[in-house]
Amino acid sequence: MFIMDDGIRLNIRLDMPLQQQNARCPMVIVIHGFTGYMEERHIVAVSQTFNSMGFSTLRAEMYGHGASGGKFENHTLYKWISNILTVIDYARKLDFVTDLYLCGHSQGGLTVMLAAAMKCDVIKGVIPLSPAWMIPEEARSGIFLGRNFDPDHIPDALPGWGNHGLKDHYLRIAQSIHVEDAIRCYNGPVLIIHGDQDETVPVEYGIKAADMYRNSKLVLIPGDTHCYDHHLDQVLRAIRDNFPFRTV
Ligand code: FER
């Protein structure tokens, strides 16, 4: 199913709770990471876990990803922010939805951290999974996908870096984002889950974010990687046991 964000179609998928008690239920919006999509193993598993807990889920694919519109090379964090704000407004207008939560993995985790601050009046809790909130800081210091560049002279294209060429706008926009401000602005419950062998987003970022949020809980998954190759079951259990911070 598609919704539009200012001319860009966004691919979304609604799943209802497995055993619905009432006509109305809470909802979790679930966002994939950089190069990700809604059918990734860990995104599906997390979404199904929420469904088993009595939540509806709305998985959404962001600009340049999955079946949504836009080219990968043109995606930026501002476009993703615009997309998720549109998804949030769509979810709010569904008449069966009670409380609204955000969950995102990696770059999607960063996106939900930023969006929660912007929509702190409507978002009841946030679950950032291995959130890639070092992206803006690294963009300012000249690191992108583990490689160095001159942060004061960003090349027009970021060529030959895997299959994932990106326009310079990605980094220029990333440089302008200050995640600490968003962390300070959100007072609701924040459950952060992070594998301590994450090869993409150092676990220190999960630890630091949990420390900075006013109302947070951190669950580290010993031995696990960025996409939970070894202990996805522990990630799902952490969600079940600690959902901010058990409301249903
Ligand atoms: C980066 C490091 C990590 C980066 C993106 C990521 C675009 C995100 C990874 C993910 O979402 O899985 O330097 O730059």
Side-chain angles (χ1 to χ4, degrees):
M1 163 163 89
F2 292 101
I3 58 171
M4 298 303 287
D5 175 22
D6 200 20
I8 295 294
R9 65 175 205 175
L10 301 178
N11 184 32
I12 62 171
R13 181 188 159 108
L14 171 67
D15 288 290
M16 297 306 284
L18 293 184
Q19 291 162 327
Q20 197 162 353
Q21 316 277 335
N22 307 305
R24 304 182 77 217
C25 63
M27 171 178 273
V28 188
I29 293 171
V30 181
I31 308 292
H32 59 81
F34 181 86
T35 74
Y37 53 100
M38 66 164 69
E39 300 298 342
E40 286 177 287
R41 167 180 168 268
H42 56 293
I43 299 297
V44 172
V46 162
S47 177
Q48 288 176 344
T49 296
F50 290 129
N51 296 149
S52 75
M53 294 164 62
F55 294 85
S56 58
T57 51
L58 195 60
R59 282 182 272 160
E61 291 175 334
M62 301 285 95
Y63 187 105
H65 287 66
S68 287
K71 286 190 188 157
F72 176 84
E73 63 175 15
N74 291 331
H75 96 274
T76 68
L77 292 170
Y78 286 173
K79 286 176 178 167
W80 277 34
I81 290 166
S82 168
N83 294 164
I84 194 169
L85 293 176
T86 295
V87 172
I88 291 169
D89 281 349
Y90 172 83
R92 287 175 70 202
K93 288 191 194 118
L94 296 171
D95 51 12
F96 68 85
V97 173
T98 57
D99 290 340
L100 199 52
Y101 297 84
L102 300 178
C103 175
H105 176 249
S106 198
Q107 182 167 292
L110 165 60
T111 303
V112 299
M113 288 167 69
L114 298 170
M118 294 174 184
K119 289 274 197 183
C120 57
D121 47 340
V122 299
I123 299 301
K124 286 290 189 303
V126 191
I127 302 101
L129 306 172
S130 314
W133 71 282
M134 76 301 172
I135 291 175
E137 196 176 294
E138 289 192 349
R140 285 189 285 277
S141 64
I143 302 170
F144 168 71
L145 291 173
R147 302 220 204 158
N148 295 312
F149 66 96
D150 178 352
D152 300 318
H153 300 91
I154 300 173
D156 287 344
L158 310 169
W161 293 0
N163 297 321
H164 305 303
L166 268 178
K167 295 239 174 77
D168 60 318
H169 294 184
Y170 180 91
L171 286 173
R172 293 179 193 279
I173 283 169
Q175 285 183 338
S176 77
I177 292 173
H178 294 271
V179 190
E180 297 80 0
D181 294 345
I183 292 175
R184 260 192 296 279
C185 284
Y186 190 72
N187 295 324
V190 181
L191 171 63
I192 298 175
I193 301 174
H194 209 135
D196 77 357
Q197 300 300 312
D198 190 323
E199 70 289 6
T200 305
V201 178
V203 68
E204 287 70 29
Y205 282 90
I207 296 169
K208 191 167 156 197
D211 198 46
M212 289 169 69
Y213 272 114
R214 225 165 267 123
N215 184 11
S216 69
K217 182 153 187 181
L218 173 69
V219 179
L220 297 181
I221 310 295
D224 218 355
T225 55
H226 188 54
C227 292
Y228 320 112
D229 296 311
H230 308 304
H231 303 299
L232 185 56
D233 55 325
Q234 291 182 30
V235 173
L236 306 180
R237 193 174 324 132
I239 289 174
R240 272 178 209 287
D241 291 348
N242 302 291
F243 187 89
F245 293 88
R246 285 307 322 187
T247 55
V248 286

